[in-house]
Amino acid sequence: RLGLQENVDIVSFSNFIYCDGRDLLQNAESLCMDGEILPRVPTGHSTLHFADVMHLVEIGLEQEKHYSVLDAILRQLSSLLHHRILILSTDCDLNNLSRLLCELAKSSRRCSLKGMPITAADISMQIYPVLTALVPYCGKLTKSSQLLLVQSLENGLVAGKQSCRACVVALSLSILEMQSIIVQRVESLVHRLTLVSPSPSLAAPVLELLSNLVQISCLYANFNPEHYKSVFAMILAYVDPAQFSLYIVTLAHHVLALWFIRCRLPRKHFVTFILNKLRQIANHLQNAVKAITLQQEQNQAHQHAYESLSSPASVGHLTAHHQQQQQHQQQQQ
């Protein structure tokens, strides 16, 4: 392997680069570096084809029954798929890999693994990042594999908060890379997105997905009024400045304007719906501001009363009044 010596004791090697020096060392007795005679470098090594390694990974995904082993495979596979040159330079069967991962995501086998944690959501957290890493290889997948991949990513939207963000980002990329598949699944995709609870961590990915979708008019050419209302409702959920940052609120208004302008149906049907939602948010903000103002006024009144009672004049007045009451009682006695 080819490595870089960082200091005297540590040498960092690459897992993907190997330097075969057997031919160069056949007639050399030693290596000379900086005038120092070094011992002959051993030339014995073994080579394992990367396609064979991927085949073993596929067997593990299909047959492994222990959670810790499967979890380790998924963790390493997710980072390995980011080395695009390495994957594309071999004859790996990405269609079979995608099929196995999609089947694992929806099968009941993951719930019966040995050493399984309390919830099956832990294994889902490892499956969906791998499926997300497969999206950039969509050009190497067949149409059936692409469809199965998109369906699995849609299911990941409701699989848990940890996997939801990764699936939203992957579907946003799929809209640009797999339009022929998304056009078949766009109505289901919108329905699944409506089931996602608005949160600050998901705000930007969801709005970016809807922004990508509105740019490709052929994908929503068959939308009916209910589909448009679902989209508007999703966007309006992120215009509340009490819950989201100024950037998110601004982005939500921008995406809302894009969808309203590019709506292919008569826009007057959606004006009342949008205005009612905006009025609800405005009324909620006004009530929140009034509650905060009232609380501040009450705090100021309490503080003023406390300062008045604590002043020397107030203390002297109370003391004199108390003495007068005592004298009056003594006179009565």
Side-chain angles (χ1 to χ4, degrees), residues 17-55:
I17 303 176
Y18 183 83
C19 182
D20 188 355
R22 289 179 297 174
D23 295 337
L24 299 176
L25 296 177
Q26 285 181 352
N27 299 323
E29 295 296 331
S30 62
L31 293 176
C32 181
M33 181 180 296
D34 295 333
E36 180 182 358
I37 302 300
L38 300 178
R40 181 182 178 88
V41 177
T43 59
H45 69 278
S46 58
T47 303
L48 182 63
H49 199 278
F50 186 75
D52 297 335
V53 176
M54 293 301 295
H55 180 63

Side-chain angles (χ1 to χ4, degrees), residues 108-125:
S108 59
R109 179 173 69 90
R110 56 179 179 157
C111 300
S112 59
L113 295 171
K114 297 179 181 179
M116 188 68 187
I118 298 176
T119 61
D122 293 335
I123 193 70
S124 298
M125 291 172 54

Side-chain angles (χ1 to χ4, degrees), residues 135-136 138 146 149-150 153 167-182 189 212 216 219:
V135 174
C138 60
Q146 292 179 7
L149 177 60
V150 171
L153 292 173
C167 291
V168 171
V169 174
L171 287 169
S172 182
L173 179 60
S174 301
I175 289 175
L176 303 176
E177 299 292 338
M178 295 184 283
Q179 297 181 16
S180 60
I181 302 299
I182 294 297
L189 173 59
N212 289 338
I216 309 174
L219 297 182

Side-chain angles (χ1 to χ4, degrees), residues 312-328:
S314 298
V315 172
H317 177 73
L318 291 174
T319 304
H321 180 70
H322 181 66
Q323 290 177 353
Q324 291 177 359
Q325 288 183 344
Q326 287 182 346
Q327 292 176 0
H328 181 70

Side-chain angles (χ1 to χ4, degrees), residues 135-152:
V135 174
Y137 300 95
C138 60
K140 300 296 181 179
L141 301 177
T142 62
K143 294 297 183 181
S144 59
S145 297
Q146 292 179 7
L147 179 60
L148 189 60
L149 177 60
V150 171
Q151 290 175 342
S152 298

Side-chain angles (χ1 to χ4, degrees), residues 118-249:
I118 298 176
T119 61
D122 293 335
I123 193 70
S124 298
M125 291 172 54
Q126 305 302 331
I127 296 175
Y128 288 106
V130 183
L131 290 173
T132 301
L134 274 177
V135 174
Y137 300 95
C138 60
K140 300 296 181 179
L141 301 177
T142 62
K143 294 297 183 181
S144 59
S145 297
Q146 292 179 7
L147 179 60
L148 189 60
L149 177 60
V150 171
Q151 290 175 342
S152 298
L153 292 173
E154 289 178 11
N155 295 332
L157 295 175
V158 292
K161 293 182 179 179
Q162 291 80 1
S163 58
C164 182
R165 179 182 172 86
C167 291
V168 171
V169 174
L171 287 169
S172 182
L173 179 60
S174 301
I175 289 175
L176 303 176
E177 299 292 338
M178 295 184 283
Q179 297 181 16
S180 60
I181 302 299
I182 294 297
V183 72
Q184 305 174 35
R185 303 289 307 173
V186 63
E187 296 177 3
S188 174
L189 173 59
V190 170
H191 174 69
R192 288 300 179 94
L193 285 174
T194 58
L195 303 178
V196 177
S197 300
S199 64
S201 62
L202 291 174
V206 170
L207 291 174
E208 289 170 1
L209 184 149
L210 295 175
S211 178
N212 289 338
L213 182 60
V214 76
Q215 305 296 333
I216 309 174
S217 58
C218 63
L219 297 182
Y220 56 93
N222 296 324
F223 269 21
N224 57 36
E226 293 302 322
H227 293 139
Y228 279 105
K229 285 185 177 181
S230 298
V231 172
F232 290 138
M234 279 189 289
I235 300 172
L236 289 169
Y238 297 102
V239 300
D240 189 353
Q243 299 183 20
F244 302 99
S245 65
L246 179 61
Y247 168 75
I248 296 299
V249 174

